Amino acid sequence: QGQASLAEFWPQARRVFPPLAWVLTGRIFMMAALTTYLPIFVSDVREGGLWLAAASLTILEAAGMAGALLSGTLSDRLGRKRVLMVLLILAPILMLAFIYSPTWLAFPLLLLLGFAAISPQPVLLATVQDQFPNNRALGNGTFLALNFLIRALGIWVVGQFADSFGLNAAFTTTAVLALISIPAVFFLPKPRSQTA
């Protein structure tokens, strides 16, 4: 039974994980910048003050938690691809707005940015669950391993880029790079329960 399960998993994995890796690679640099270097960016580049620098990551993650709770439910009702598309378009735009807006807009933009940037994760996990109804644990584990590997690379690349060109250039570049995730949504397979 285990061999039969693996025989079913791998052909579907070859269809599912390449576009998922594309989505992850595009957005992971932006996420690495936000979740690893945000307090330094707020303090050194935005000169937002010690309170805002210290609270920035908490604000971002709290909004992301709310977004994660909502995005999964919305994707059940509206469809995975539709919700992913909206979030993948919004997040880079909001990040660019955060980078170049006046400091007094930092707090509301951080809330919106956290909501949009972090909430695709449960939708991506739900997409994996849809594609592997008989191998959900293996599909979930493969997705998380892929995510961790790409994230580790992303943190290193963003750090190197920031040291060479500055945090402002690094944040701007990662926001623009996140846009390359958008076309990958069209290549994600439909849920296996759907025939059309």
Side-chain angles (χ1 to χ4, degrees):
Q1 185 178 1
Q3 289 181 342
S5 181
L6 285 174
E8 179 186 356
F9 174 80
W10 290 117
Q12 184 67 5
R14 286 193 290 269
R15 290 189 291 271
V16 174
F17 287 110
L20 275 177
W22 182 355
V23 172
L24 290 173
T25 302
R27 67 185 291 270
I28 208 71
F29 296 103
M30 181 181 71
M31 294 307 301
L34 284 171
T35 57
T36 307
Y37 304 108
L38 180 62
I40 301 171
F41 177 82
V42 171
S43 174
D44 294 355
V45 179
R46 294 300 309 272
E47 299 179 350
L50 191 59
W51 180 89
L52 184 59
S56 59
L57 191 57
T58 301
I59 296 167
L60 184 87
E61 295 283 0
M65 182 181 64
L69 290 171
L70 184 59
S71 65
T73 303
L74 286 176
S75 72
D76 288 339
R77 297 181 180 179
L78 304 176
R80 313 278 187 231
K81 290 186 178 184
R82 190 173 299 172
V83 172
L84 270 178
M85 184 68 69
V86 171
L87 294 173
L88 293 176
I89 291 171
L90 275 179
I93 294 171
L94 288 168
M95 184 164 177
L96 289 170
F98 170 71
I99 293 168
Y100 294 104
S101 66
T103 304
W104 62 270
L105 281 174
F107 181 81
L109 284 172
L110 274 173
L111 286 173
L112 294 171
L113 179 57
F115 188 92
I118 296 174
S119 54
Q121 190 76 355
V123 183
L124 293 171
L125 279 168
T127 300
V128 172
Q129 299 294 298
D130 291 341
Q131 296 299 322
F132 301 100
N134 299 321
N135 299 280
R136 289 182 173 173
L138 181 57
N140 188 52
T142 304
F143 171 78
L144 290 175
L146 187 64
N147 184 63
F148 290 144
L149 287 171
I150 297 174
R151 179 176 173 79
L153 175 64
I155 292 171
W156 183 81
V157 169
V158 172
Q160 288 286 331
F161 193 92
D163 284 343
S164 299
F165 302 101
L167 272 172
N168 196 64
F171 270 59
T172 302
T173 302
T174 60
V176 174
L177 283 176
L179 295 170
I180 70 172
S181 291
I182 296 169
V185 176
F186 295 106
F187 294 92
L188 290 172
K190 293 179 180 178
R192 298 182 73 177
S193 59
Q194 292 184 3
T195 57

